[in-house]
């Protein structure tokens, strides 16, 4: 019997530019998956970070969790391809469905914290104690559910970045002498690898406050058609002033961008004003390229690329 009702809020990491060098920290890889809370034992359940029940979608992991002692484990669900690389996009095929024959990947759970071990609430416990319980729960457990390795050496942790076919996208740091706290009060930090990409502006989102306006960004397909790949973060005032002279609205009313491009599956559509697709910008992304036609996280617009035309922008690998 767990000591609390589930789901519960999970700890969130705040972005930083570099990992701390002083002692007192533990580091784990930031792997590219879906954050989840797994309830192991005779009545397994899986919940997303937002509390959505994912048990049906990941019935294979739930069944593996049944073989473990009862516990509440904080983890990332990963889609692992036959070559050992990770594919975030393949996880999307599980949304609202479940395991299917011939889907071309396996799902694994990479566990990095333990919130409860049977009736014991471990959230007030310090990190070494929580990790000890976590490893005891996972000992001799099923292959699909394994612990992420940890280190106190920041250089060793950063050497993991880029591994698993780019699936290790950064490093998460936790203070050793700290309990488990939900949300941004956790004290957890993260460093993520970033890339720069070029994209074409095809629209500007609707916003009552100009400071909240964002750009709808596209990249060309192999056939030459511009495909929306992301909605940017709100654009900086100086850049907004520059763009005001360059962006020209197309005839017609506002249109909607599907939520799968502007957010996540299930998100509401994003209304935007279409503009002539003639302006190219450089963006900062946490992906080297869009996967399955979209960027998972809203990119930051860095600057205009007046030297580039839309035809110069990298072609999408998938139509």
């Amino acid at each position: 019997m767990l000591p609390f009702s589930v789901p519960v809020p999970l700890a969130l990491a705040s972005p930083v530019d570099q990992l701390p060098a002083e002692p007192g920290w533990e580091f784990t890889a930031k792997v590219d998956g879906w954050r989840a809370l797994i309830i192991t034992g005779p009545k397994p359940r899986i919940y997303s970070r937002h509390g959505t029940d994912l048990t049906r979608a990941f019935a294979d992991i739930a069944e593996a969790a049944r073989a473990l002692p009862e516990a509440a484990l904080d983890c990332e669900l990963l889609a692992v391809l036959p070559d050992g690389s990770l594919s975030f996009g393949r996880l999307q095929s599980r949304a609202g469905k479940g395991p299917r024959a011939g889907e071309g990947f396996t799902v694994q759970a990479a566990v990095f914290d333990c919130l409860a071990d049977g009736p014991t609430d471990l959230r007030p416990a310090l990190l070494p104690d929580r990790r000890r319980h976590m490893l005891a729960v996972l000992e001799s457990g099923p292959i699909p559910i394994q612990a992420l390795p940890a280190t106190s050496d920041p250089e060793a942790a950063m050497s993991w970045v880029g591994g698993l076919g780019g699936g290790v996208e950064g490093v998460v740091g936790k203070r050793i002498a700290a309990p488990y706290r939900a949300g941004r009060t956790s004290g957890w930090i993260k460093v993520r690898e970033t890339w720069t990409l070029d994209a074409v502006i095809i629209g500007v989102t609707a916003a009552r406050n100009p400071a909240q306006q964002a750009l709808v960004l596209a990249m060309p397909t192999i056939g030459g058609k511009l495909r929306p790949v992301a909605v940017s973060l709100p654009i900086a005032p100086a850049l907004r002033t520059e763009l005001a002279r360059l962006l020209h609205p197309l005839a017609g009313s506002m249109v909607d961008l599907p939520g799968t491009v502007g957010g996540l599956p299930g998100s509401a559509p994003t209304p935007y004003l279409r503009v002539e697709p003639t302006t190219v910008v450089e963006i900062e992304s946490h992906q080297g390229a869009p996967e399955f036609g979209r960027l998972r996280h809203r990119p930051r617009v860095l600057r205009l690329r007046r030297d580039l035309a839309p035809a110069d922008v990298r072609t999408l690998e998938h139509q």
Side-chain angles (χ1 to χ4, degrees):
M1 188 76 173
L2 293 177
F4 45 72
S5 298
V6 292
V8 293
L10 301 179
L12 302 177
S14 299
V16 296
D17 293 329
Q18 62 183 22
L19 297 178
E22 69 268 15
W25 290 83
E26 179 181 278
F27 305 105
T28 55
K30 187 184 187 308
V31 284
D32 196 10
W34 281 7
R35 184 75 175 278
L37 176 70
I38 296 182
I39 308 305
T40 59
K43 297 181 179 179
R45 306 299 298 176
I46 302 175
Y47 298 96
S48 76
R49 177 166 71 87
H50 301 289
T52 303
D53 193 325
L54 301 176
T55 308
R56 178 187 173 191
F58 296 96
D60 44 357
I61 295 296
E63 188 57 35
R66 191 185 305 275
L68 295 171
E70 188 175 38
L73 303 175
D74 196 351
C75 72
E76 290 276 347
L77 298 173
L78 310 174
V80 184
L81 301 180
D83 64 1
S85 62
L86 306 184
S87 173
F88 181 90
R90 296 294 183 93
L91 289 172
Q92 308 281 24
S93 66
R94 289 288 189 94
K97 300 173 183 176
R100 293 175 296 168
E103 58 188 355
F105 64 94
T106 59
V107 174
Q108 297 183 17
V111 182
F112 47 79
D113 218 317
C114 186
L115 282 64
D117 186 354
T120 304
D121 189 345
L122 294 175
R123 292 175 297 179
L126 302 187
L127 181 57
D129 194 23
R130 301 200 309 272
R131 186 167 183 84
R132 179 175 59 81
H133 279 268
M134 179 188 78
L135 294 176
V137 169
L138 296 175
E139 185 178 10
S140 301
I143 291 176
I145 305 177
Q146 297 290 328
L148 271 177
T151 180
S152 59
D153 183 344
E155 291 187 10
M158 289 303 297
S159 73
W160 296 332
V161 177
L164 300 179
V168 180
E169 58 180 7
V171 175
V172 174
K174 309 175 193 176
R175 290 191 181 276
I176 292 173
Y180 186 99
R181 299 189 184 96
R184 302 292 179 187
T185 65
S186 67
W188 293 11
I189 59 173
K190 62 183 177 182
V191 171
R192 300 178 71 169
E193 186 171 10
T194 59
W195 293 264
T196 57
L197 302 171
D198 298 316
V200 183
I201 301 172
I202 61 169
V204 179
T205 62
R208 293 183 179 179
N209 182 352
Q212 296 302 312
Q213 282 185 323
L215 303 176
V216 179
L217 304 168
M219 296 175 70
T221 65
I222 296 173
K225 181 180 179 181
L226 285 174
R227 176 172 177 168
V229 296
V231 175
S232 76
L233 293 169
I235 50 181
L239 181 59
R240 192 165 63 244
T241 300
E242 278 191 277
L243 291 174
R245 299 191 295 266
L246 298 174
L247 300 183
H248 304 288
L250 291 172
S253 59
M254 303 284 288
V255 295
D256 284 339
L257 185 71
T260 51
V261 178
L264 292 171
S267 298
T270 300
Y272 73 99
L273 176 67
R274 294 188 303 144
V275 299
E276 294 180 2
T278 57
T279 303
V280 177
V281 289
E282 183 179 72
I283 62 176
E284 183 180 74
S285 169
H286 295 299
Q287 290 172 252
E291 187 174 12
F292 293 92
R294 62 181 290 269
L295 295 172
R296 295 188 303 281
H297 306 286
R298 295 179 64 180
R300 183 165 64 96
V301 180
L302 300 176
R303 61 187 177 115
L304 281 168
R305 289 299 306 266
R306 295 177 182 271
D307 56 321
L308 297 181
D312 300 318
V313 174
R314 173 181 175 178
T315 300
L316 286 168
E317 296 179 3
H318 299 275
Q319 295 277 18

